[in-house]
Amino acid sequence: MALGLLASAAVLFHVGAKDAFGALAYGGRIVGVVFIAAALVEMVAVLALCDYWGKRALRYSGVAVLLGVGTVTVTNLAFLIVQFQGGDYTPFSLAVGRLGALGDLGAVDADPTEGMAGDSAP
């Protein structure tokens, strides 16, 4: 999952940097900055994921991971919609959309209360 978040962050940063610094319209530059911000959110989610899988030292690491996965879902869906609206269909368009949706749905499958400090086991 961490590799998926990193790959999505790399794509978002690349597209965002191209738009933020090279778009002809002001709206395109704003969208570029939003994509760069989404890439940063995903990078924070990767760091939180390392904590969530490890010792869970940070209290809200699961929430940060969920926010990152939500960001991936929304941005990948936006890219897929733009591709369909443009009429650029590739043989793998639907397969990539389905794989992205399945990967995002099963992203956080651990019990959020498992292993938290201060909990007493019955």
Side-chain angles (χ1 to χ4, degrees):
M1 183 167 67
L3 289 176
L5 285 170
L6 286 174
S8 179
V11 169
L12 281 177
F13 187 78
H14 176 73
V15 172
K18 292 276 187 180
D19 280 351
F21 301 117
L24 297 176
Y26 186 69
R29 291 181 185 262
I30 291 176
V31 169
V33 170
V34 168
F35 280 170
I36 291 173
L40 292 175
V41 166
E42 291 179 17
M43 295 298 290
V44 169
V46 169
L47 295 175
L49 184 64
C50 293
D51 178 62
Y52 188 77
W53 282 344
K55 294 184 179 186
R56 294 191 186 178
L58 300 174
R59 183 173 181 168
Y60 295 108
S61 60
V63 175
V65 171
L66 189 61
L67 185 64
V69 170
T71 303
V72 169
T73 303
V74 170
T75 55
N76 286 344
L77 185 62
F79 283 144
L80 195 63
I81 288 171
V82 167
Q83 182 180 9
F84 285 151
Q85 283 182 347
D88 295 330
Y89 300 107
T90 62
F92 300 107
S93 295
L94 291 176
V96 169
R98 288 182 184 157
L99 287 175
L102 291 175
D104 291 339
L105 290 177
V108 179
D109 58 351
D111 183 15
T113 60
E114 181 180 316
M116 293 182 69
D119 288 343
S120 59

